[in-house]
């Protein structure tokens, strides 16, 4: 017979960005330890709805750890206590019977609260959009070996491309900086031949949008790397700084 848990949830509730938020307490009873954290919230919400209450609002989509939607701060840690997993991949067996769990939204000025645990992370989308596109010849599918790429370069590019844009790096940073996210997106294309034509314009535009969105600066505490569910490293931030300095020099701008 599967083991079950009885838990106390301290959940942030807030009707909208202008409303005053508050912590409300819920009892999560007979929660199977094999269910995921989001499934646990589904069970709690079912009980709330059955008793005539308003369910806890939270964001999710794929529930497979690849979309980055499940942005919850659990006991003060973005995505919870387990390393390199998203909230939807966190299972209740990581908790103990009788635990009290604090659940809050990602906190950042650039991530305004929509309702309860749901935040607007479209600022990250606008940074990506500011980077624009890449110039490549279209037509019939090219041979895969037409553009040679050294393996260590392709490996680094793929590691950077693993970023799912969840915003955990922002939520974990005391400055609410999106440097790890932005650096991963810049690195992904700066490393590859296809990304060279727009290399200078891309980093300048993305950093300009970064500033416009109100994200803080990086102070090298590496909390972002520790919180990232995909293991994106701060090596990308060092690369972003180099890309930005070189781009500024080429355009005669002051960093």
């Amino acid at each position: 017979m599967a083991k079950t848990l009885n838990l106390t949830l301290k959940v942030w509730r807030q009707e909208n960005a202008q409303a005053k938020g508050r912590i409300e307490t819920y009892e999560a009873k007979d929660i199977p330890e094999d269910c995921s954290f989001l499934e646990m919230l589904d069970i709690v919400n079912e009980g709330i709805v059955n008793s005539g209450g308003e369910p806890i609002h939270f964001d999710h989509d794929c529930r497979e750890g690849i979309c980055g939607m499940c942005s919850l701060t659990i006991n003060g840690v973005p995505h919870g206590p387990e390393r390199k997993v998203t909230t939807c991949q966190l299972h209740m067996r990581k908790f103990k019977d009788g635990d009290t769990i604090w659940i809050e939204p990602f906190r950042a000025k650039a991530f305004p609260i929509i309702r309860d645990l749901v935040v607007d992370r479209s600022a990250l989308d606008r940074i990506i959009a500011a980077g624009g596109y890449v110039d490549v010849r279209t037509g019939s599918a090219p041979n895969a070996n037409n553009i040679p790429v050294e393996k260590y370069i392709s490996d680094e590019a793929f590691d950077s491309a693993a970023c799912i844009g969840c915003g955990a790096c922002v939520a974990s940073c005391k400055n609410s900086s999106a440097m790890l996210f932005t650096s991963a997106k810049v690195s992904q294309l700066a490393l590859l031949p296809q990304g060279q034509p727009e290399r200078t314009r891309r980093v300048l535009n993305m950093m300009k949008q970064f500033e416009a969105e109100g994200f803080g600066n990086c102070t090298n505490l590496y909390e972002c790397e520790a919180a990232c569910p995909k293991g994106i490293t701060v090596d990308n931030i060092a690369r972003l700084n180099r890309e930005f300095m070189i781009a500024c020099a080429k355009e005669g701008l002051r960093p």
Side-chain angles (χ1 to χ4, degrees), residues 130-199:
Y133 301 91
V134 295
D135 285 334
V136 293
R137 293 184 180 277
T138 58
S140 59
N143 185 291
N145 297 319
N146 277 355
I147 304 176
V149 181
E150 294 182 77
K151 186 178 187 304
Y152 83 95
I153 294 292
S154 65
D155 287 346
E156 287 192 39
F158 272 117
D159 288 344
S160 300
C163 171
I164 57 176
C166 67
C169 53
V170 178
S172 65
C173 177
K174 69 172 186 175
N175 304 323
S176 296
S177 176
M179 283 290 280
L180 190 66
F181 164 81
T182 307
S183 66
K185 299 306 178 183
V186 167
S187 294
Q188 176 185 342
L189 292 173
L191 286 163
L192 296 173
Q194 295 89 336
Q196 300 313 305
E198 290 83 18
R199 189 171 182 173

Side-chain angles (χ1 to χ4, degrees), residues 108-110 123 175-178 208-217:
K109 180 181 178 181
N175 304 323
S176 296
S177 176
K208 182 179 179 180
Q209 189 65 38
F210 175 101
E211 294 288 341
E213 297 294 344
F215 291 108
N217 292 321

Side-chain angles (χ1 to χ4, degrees), residues 14-124:
Q14 186 172 340
E15 283 69 26
N16 53 58
Q18 290 72 43
K20 183 177 181 180
R22 64 201 179 279
I23 291 289
E24 292 190 358
T25 303
Y26 300 92
E27 297 301 321
K29 296 185 179 297
D30 300 323
I31 304 297
E33 67 171 2
D34 290 333
C35 76
S36 73
F37 199 87
L38 296 189
E39 289 169 337
M40 179 274 292
L41 289 179
D42 288 337
I43 295 171
V44 172
N45 271 344
E46 185 176 356
I48 294 173
V49 171
N50 288 339
S51 63
E54 182 69 24
I56 300 164
H57 295 258
F58 60 95
D59 224 345
H60 65 92
D61 190 6
C62 72
R63 300 204 179 197
E64 295 177 350
I66 58 176
C67 74
M69 296 291 288
C70 52
S71 51
L72 300 184
T73 299
I74 302 166
N75 288 342
V77 181
H79 292 304
E82 191 172 4
R83 293 290 301 275
K84 295 185 179 181
V85 298
T86 53
T87 302
C88 63
Q89 295 174 300
L90 177 66
H91 285 81
M92 298 312 298
R93 55 180 171 268
K94 295 296 179 179
F95 300 91
K96 295 181 293 185
D97 187 47
D99 276 356
T100 296
I101 305 175
W102 293 76
I103 311 171
E104 299 175 80
F106 279 5
R107 303 287 189 180
K109 180 181 178 181
F111 291 168
I113 290 178
I114 297 174
R115 183 161 190 174
D116 293 347
L117 307 174
V118 182
V119 299
D120 181 358
R121 291 170 297 149
S122 58
L124 301 182

Side-chain angles (χ1 to χ4, degrees), residues 199-248:
R199 189 171 182 173
T200 298
R201 186 183 69 190
R202 180 183 304 112
V203 67
L204 291 175
N205 288 345
M206 292 180 77
M207 288 306 294
K208 182 179 179 180
Q209 189 65 38
F210 175 101
E211 294 288 341
E213 297 294 344
F215 291 108
N217 292 321
C218 174
T219 45
N220 296 317
L221 294 181
Y222 299 174
E223 287 289 339
C224 54
E225 181 179 304
C228 178
K230 296 303 175 182
I232 305 297
T233 71
V234 294
D235 292 347
N236 288 283
I237 297 179
R239 184 178 296 110
L240 171 61
N241 288 334
R242 290 194 298 271
E243 292 288 325
F244 185 59
M245 293 291 287
I246 292 170
C248 287

